[in-house]
Amino acid sequence: MEMIKKAKKAIALSIGALLCVAAAGCGAAKAPKAISLASEGYIFSEAGETYNIAGDVQTEGENASVEFKYSSSDTSVAEISEDGVLTVKGEGLATVTVASAKDENVSASAAVLVYDYAGVYTCEKYIDAMGCDVKVSLSVADDGTFGFYRYPMNVNLEGGGQMEGLQDTGTYEVKGNEMKFSADYLGTFNLTFTLDKDGNAQLSGDTPTGGATTDMAFSRTVSEDRGESGTYTGSGETMSGNSVSYSLQLNSGTYVLTAAGADGAETTVSSGVYSFAGEEIEFFAEEGTTFSASYDESRQVIEGTAIPVSAENSYEFTAVTLTKGQ
């Protein structure tokens, strides 16, 4: 009798196992309750770049299937393989979607932006805790390096006063739609990259300003040739009475500044990139002092009071006027 009971139990278990297989249940992977991606968007600077989107897929629900289908809304911008590897094809905006192979109604999407994001970004903001405007510029290069410059400011609080400009350099990494900046002095900070409704590039997030951080929104300044390219010459007199002659060459976003003292010997003071912000032209030096000057609407005259006289120093001038073509 005992043997008959054991046999019946074994038969029942076998039938149960067969029913599980037939019903494709009993522990089989099923469609996730939800799918998400680690980033809301992804930015790339040029065709040919690749990124493994599959590594960013996250699922919710017990025993969720990890089989997915990937697609791109515009394969001329970005293609995505069956394994979830994205390949950049050209400039523009596309949407990539990952859907459950078990239920394609369970899906997640993210924007893919292919955009030449290298350039200069600036932000000016009034900070209550400082009692003054704080202006910061970021010069983002396409080789993974960047320059940081916080302009001099006058802290209008008790114990405050004039603060010198703060300059730093470092490297950055891009993941998703975030740029991680690692500066030599200021440390690490993250900014989110977006495009506004007019298609203009912006960076935003908590930004170090020297001793503190504040939420800032940077807009990329204009650097394309507006007819200003050419050679500007002129001279200025320092507050101590020394005369300096200058030659400034502008060439579609890059510049070289040379200076000559009373002995006539010329030296290269500064070189790098320039851009326009409001009524100023800003010069971001590869090495040495970052500076700015005003310009007229015709792009024929540049004037400043803190143009450097050497790679290490800038002095206050009574006036420096550089005129194009002289």
Side-chain angles (χ1 to χ4, degrees):
M1 181 65 70
E2 187 65 28
M3 292 181 63
I4 293 174
K5 287 183 178 180
K6 289 182 177 180
K8 286 182 177 180
K9 185 177 180 180
I11 292 171
L13 290 172
S14 297
I15 293 173
L18 289 172
L19 290 172
C20 279
V21 172
C26 292
K30 52 190 177 183
K33 289 184 178 180
I35 294 175
S36 61
L37 289 167
S39 178
E40 295 179 356
Y42 299 86
I43 56 172
F44 303 92
S45 62
E46 60 184 358
E49 294 185 65
T50 61
Y51 185 80
N52 184 19
I53 296 287
D56 286 355
V57 180
Q58 302 168 344
T59 60
E60 295 180 18
E62 294 183 1
N63 208 24
S65 171
V66 291
E67 295 182 18
F68 306 108
K69 293 183 177 180
Y70 299 91
S71 61
S72 169
S73 66
D74 190 341
T75 55
S76 69
V77 175
E79 292 182 347
I80 189 163
S81 70
E82 294 181 355
D83 298 327
V85 176
L86 182 145
T87 301
V88 176
K89 306 301 289 185
E91 190 169 289
L93 182 66
T95 300
V96 292
T97 300
V98 53
S100 170
K102 299 288 186 180
D103 183 355
E104 294 188 25
N105 291 319
V106 182
S107 64
S109 298
V112 174
L113 174 66
V114 183
Y115 185 89
D116 184 10
Y117 49 76
V120 177
Y121 298 77
T122 61
C123 177
E124 186 169 0
K125 180 180 180 180
Y126 183 82
I127 308 298
D128 290 332
M130 303 293 288
C132 65
D133 287 322
V134 176
K135 184 177 181 180
V136 175
S137 292
L138 289 170
S139 179
V140 179
D142 55 14
D143 63 356
T145 62
F146 78 97
F148 173 99
Y149 186 66
R150 193 217 64 223
Y151 287 76
M153 57 187 184
N154 187 33
V155 179
N156 299 315
L157 298 176
E158 185 176 350
Q162 182 70 25
M163 293 183 65
E164 295 183 356
L166 174 62
Q167 192 160 341
D168 202 359
T169 58
T171 59
Y172 69 89
E173 296 178 337
V174 176
K175 184 174 182 180
N177 64 337
E178 289 209 338
M179 304 181 79
K180 179 179 180 180
F181 296 88
S182 299
D184 297 334
Y185 170 74
L186 294 169
T188 301
F189 58 99
N190 296 336
L191 298 178
T192 301
F193 183 94
T194 57
L195 292 180
D196 65 16
K197 60 182 179 63
D198 296 320
N200 300 313
Q202 292 185 321
L203 286 169
S204 59
D206 288 339
T207 307
T209 57
T213 61
T214 188
D215 185 35
M216 305 190 83
F218 295 83
S219 296
R220 189 163 79 162
T221 56
V222 178
S223 60
E224 70 266 16
D225 190 349
R226 293 178 169 181
E228 77 284 348
S229 294
T231 301
Y232 296 71
T233 58
S235 61
E237 186 175 276
T238 66
M239 298 298 288
S240 60
N242 296 321
S243 296
V244 180
S245 297
Y246 287 103
S247 175
L248 174 66
Q249 292 181 323
L250 304 184
N251 182 20
S252 301
T254 63
Y255 79 93
V256 177
L257 176 68
T258 59
D263 59 0
E266 290 190 355
T267 58
T268 299
V269 172
S270 180
S271 63
V273 298
Y274 67 86
S275 64
F276 298 103
E279 296 181 352
E280 288 192 330
I281 181 169
E282 301 187 349
F283 299 89
F284 299 87
E286 295 174 350
E287 296 181 1
T289 303
T290 291
F291 59 100
S292 62
S294 64
Y295 62 90
D296 69 344
E297 293 182 357
S298 66
R299 301 283 196 265
Q300 301 297 305
V301 177
I302 296 173
E303 296 181 317
T305 58
I307 298 177
V309 295
S310 72
E312 295 80 24
N313 299 297
S314 62
Y315 295 95
E316 291 297 321
F317 285 84
T318 54
V320 180
T321 301
L322 306 178
T323 305
K324 186 177 180 181
Q326 290 190 359

